[in-house]
Amino acid sequence: MIDDAEALLEDEVLDPLGPVDGDDDPGALLRPEQKLDLSPVLSIKPRPYQREALARWLEADGRGVVVLPTGAGKTVVAMMAIEATAARTLVVVPTIELLEQWRSAIIEKLGIPLECVGIVGGGQRDVRPVTVTTYQSAMSPSRRYPDIGLLIFDEVHHLPAAGYRSIPRKVNGQYVLGLSATTERQDGRERDLDRLVGPEVYHKLPAELSRDKHIAEFVEKRLYVDLAPEERARYEEMLAGYRWYLASRRGVTAPGPAAFQELIRRSASDPAARQALRAHHQARLISLNASAKIELVGELLTRHSADKVIVFSEFNAIVDAISRRYFLPAITYRTAARERRLILERFRAGRYTKLVTGRVLNEGVDVPDANVAIVVSGSAATREYIQRLGRVLRPKPDQAILYELITRHTGESRTAARRRPRASRQAS
Amino acid sequence: MPFRLADVKKIVRKRSDGERYLHPQLLEGVGALTQVSLALAYFNNRLGRRRSDFDTETLVQIFGDARLARGVVSCLAATYQWRNHTFAEVLEAQNVARLLSRGIATSSDLRLHLFDAVNASGSGFLAGARGEALQPLARRLRLTPAKLDQLVALDADENAVLVRVREVPTPAQIVAQYSFAVIDAIVRHSSHLELRRLTADERSILAARCADHGVPLTWAGTDARLHNVADSFGSYARTGFRLSRSLYIALSSAPGLARDAAALVRLPASHALYKPDKTFRDTVTGGTGRILVAGPLPDLRQEWERLRAQRGVAGWRLVSSGEPTLTRAGLVVPAFSCQRGDERVMLWPVSNAEQGAHLEVLQQAGIATLPITPGDGAATIVAALSDRWGGDRVDAAGQAVEALVGEAAARGFIPEAEVLSALNYATPAEAAARLRDLPADHGTYIAGLGLCSPDFVATMRRGLRRAQRRSSAA
């Protein structure tokens, strides 16, 4: 009698979503209109950690975030989720470049026919049983995605942004999978992912996968440079101007981001605030773009003349300067589509062995693998650091190297420290 | 380019009725005209100069306010634009032809060619001293290293030069455009717009225009409320263009529509009411009182796309629901317009006498307008556009010389290094070749020295003669 009551409780109360035997088949929880009319079959053999990630996600009722380093095959986990649920799927990606890349992967890896995979975004509006779209398109009030069973967010750290957070509610998929190399955001809103997608169900660190040879072994090296005397003098002058303003104005003297925002607000009408803001910006430019760094890049390129090297900079002006100084192919947001495509193709084919880029290749672009990354300058964001590290992590026989170039005795040392300790914890 | 609400200079005051009211700060009075004249002079003086030589802080200082400066710059953007030089503008014809024979027509082609060369011959980068390393590459293309350097970065943003693509506007026109843009921004950013005490005719006109543009409309007796829709970010600007467009079109046939109106404007942390005053119609029509609305045109977009895929459209781009534009002829609301490079042409249907009269007004005001008769398809339009607007690029080099001559007249003398920089020449020889034939009343270029104004040359001559006389006397 008691057994019957417990069974009843379990069936009717604890698991109102469906019968117990449906738990082994995620597709059983879907409404008929949410199911695919075909059975996708993954054509590649997943790695153990990818299987583990899927299992954890399914255990969490098919809602949650999987965090894997770049190069570890997050896309494969998504394909496994489509195979396991056999659900009508919406994949949301951050850039137009990724639309076609995801569609090809779905067709090739899951054997889903071309006519069943649609794209919405970049001028196309083709909703199919499996659809790939951009965050921008998905949030548009005019877009409707009925009967979606599985909702996948690539680079899910974008989702907590003000405009995008309405997407999960709007699409209302039975299953939701978020993928990222690191969910950390500078505004701290990664906490909202728990509510928007689900908990972090699986997290592998680069070092763990590197130990098991799933991604490349890597080493991170910090190299310090000094400002040239004239740069140092200018840096101190600019910093003094900025500090003088803060010290001499009530209301903006409290340190921290709020003070800086107040300074920005005041700069619209107060010439002195504008000057202080410019001084701060100039000082930052001087420290991040010290001339010694450009020379050091040359030395590193010489040291790694036989390697494939990607140089990263925070500033497009420095990308251009390095490109002109060493005739390195450069990719920034301004690079025309054709030139960008040809450079990436030739780098992938090994015809080019060096590349310099800005933030544009941090994520959302299928960047060919390299074995050396040189970060000339970067922000304090851990995410950016991990993304750049990820560009050298695809499995390879040799050790990958990431160099960080830092200017001594400037604000950059603090910036690097802010991004690095947390990154080090993740990497070690 | 519509203004952002954040760029609109405004005051918000609470009145005795407890409501907060928004008062836009327009450019007004002789002082404003003087400020705009100074801004125009600065732009004209910078013609042909690189973007990196353009100091936006100067404009902020002229207006004393960053938002006012940004607004005026936005109004001037229809006249002054940044444009990169082509190879043909900085190279002699035989050099252009030689590069073309190697498949190099643009800076992008040249860079890819050089990356190929560097990767084929070495370790993927240019090691050693740059100047020396550059020489063999330049020699292979029969260019000087300096010229090669210039060509490689010719399409960079910072090397874009300022050009004037239209006639210089008067300060009064810019002031009128600024005022229109401010009011337009407020209407676009409103969550709703109320128009009160409307007559029966006005109500039916308004209802029809709102239905045309998909603007939700509700009624309370004779009062109408036009609703805007916020996007996911909470901004009303994205759909606000429909609201403003239907208002302007309705105003064209019901001029008294906004006599008692109020718009609720969402501000970052609050909201405020904007009540258009009696100058509203004058402001949105630039003082002309005239609103010219293009008649209905069949939707050309699909036919245009088909033609583009099959035969091409000669680089023209079709823009539907073009932005309402304040012109000398009044406020113009186009249905379609076409753009190619610096050219923007409004398509104007002329199926009745009134539309024909509007076309005449527009053409007299010098506005590029193409008359469209019933039955004109995309192919006819493209042919007519290419026939009348041949795609001649603005003579950026000519404008640069003109600006330099003006500067030389003011300063007397401009050193050679500045002349080279202003005209984007890599070598003094190029400057000498270009300025050799400068009319004497414009100035004289002395190789190795610089550009001299006629007065400066006369002063130098007098000085030299005096010196000669003194030395012969001695």
Side-chain angles (χ1 to χ4, degrees), chain B residues 309-385:
Chain B
Q310 288 164 2
R311 284 191 284 154
V313 287
W316 288 99
R317 192 164 63 86
L318 183 73
V319 181
S320 61
S321 300
E323 285 287 338
T325 308
L326 187 64
T327 69
R328 273 182 292 177
L331 179 65
V332 184
V333 187
F336 283 96
S337 56
C338 287
Q339 274 180 262
R340 182 172 70 175
D342 306 328
E343 294 286 2
R344 195 175 58 204
V345 181
M346 290 182 192
L347 306 186
W348 205 263
V350 278
S351 47
N352 59 40
E354 190 194 3
Q355 289 166 354
H358 284 174
L359 177 75
E360 208 175 308
V361 171
L362 289 169
Q363 288 179 335
Q364 276 170 3
I367 295 152
T369 324
L370 181 72
I372 304 290
T373 49
D376 280 353
T380 321
I381 292 170
V382 169
L385 286 168

Side-chain angles (χ1 to χ4, degrees), chain A residues 136 139-141 161-164 166 267-269 271 274 278 298 301-307 320 323-330 333-336 338-339 342-343 346 350-354, chain B residues 55-57 60-61 64-67 106-109 111-116 118-120 123-130 134 137 148-149 152-153 155-159 230-233 238:
Chain A
Q136 197 68 30
M139 78 169 198
S140 167
Y164 300 153
S166 61
S267 69
S269 53
R274 204 157 50 244
R278 280 163 70 119
L301 290 174
T302 307
R303 191 185 303 171
H304 293 283
S305 57
D307 291 313
D320 291 341
S323 172
R324 278 177 214 161
R325 170 65 186 83
Y326 300 111
F327 261 101
L328 297 192
Y333 74 95
R334 293 191 302 238
T335 310
R338 175 181 167 271
E339 187 176 345
L342 288 172
I343 289 174
R346 291 173 189 181
R351 191 162 147 188
Y352 295 167
T353 57
K354 313 283 183 288
Chain B
D55 183 17
T56 47
E57 188 60 25
V60 175
Q61 282 169 4
D65 184 279
R67 282 176 298 182
T106 62
S107 294
S108 174
D109 297 335
R111 282 193 295 270
L112 288 166
H113 176 86
L114 294 172
F115 298 150
D116 278 348
V118 166
N119 277 276
S123 48
F125 71 105
L126 209 60
R130 188 171 187 277
L134 210 56
L137 296 172
L148 180 67
D149 237 2
V152 161
D155 61 351
D157 267 4
E158 65 271 21
N159 288 337
D231 66 14
S232 303
F233 292 101
R238 193 186 285 253

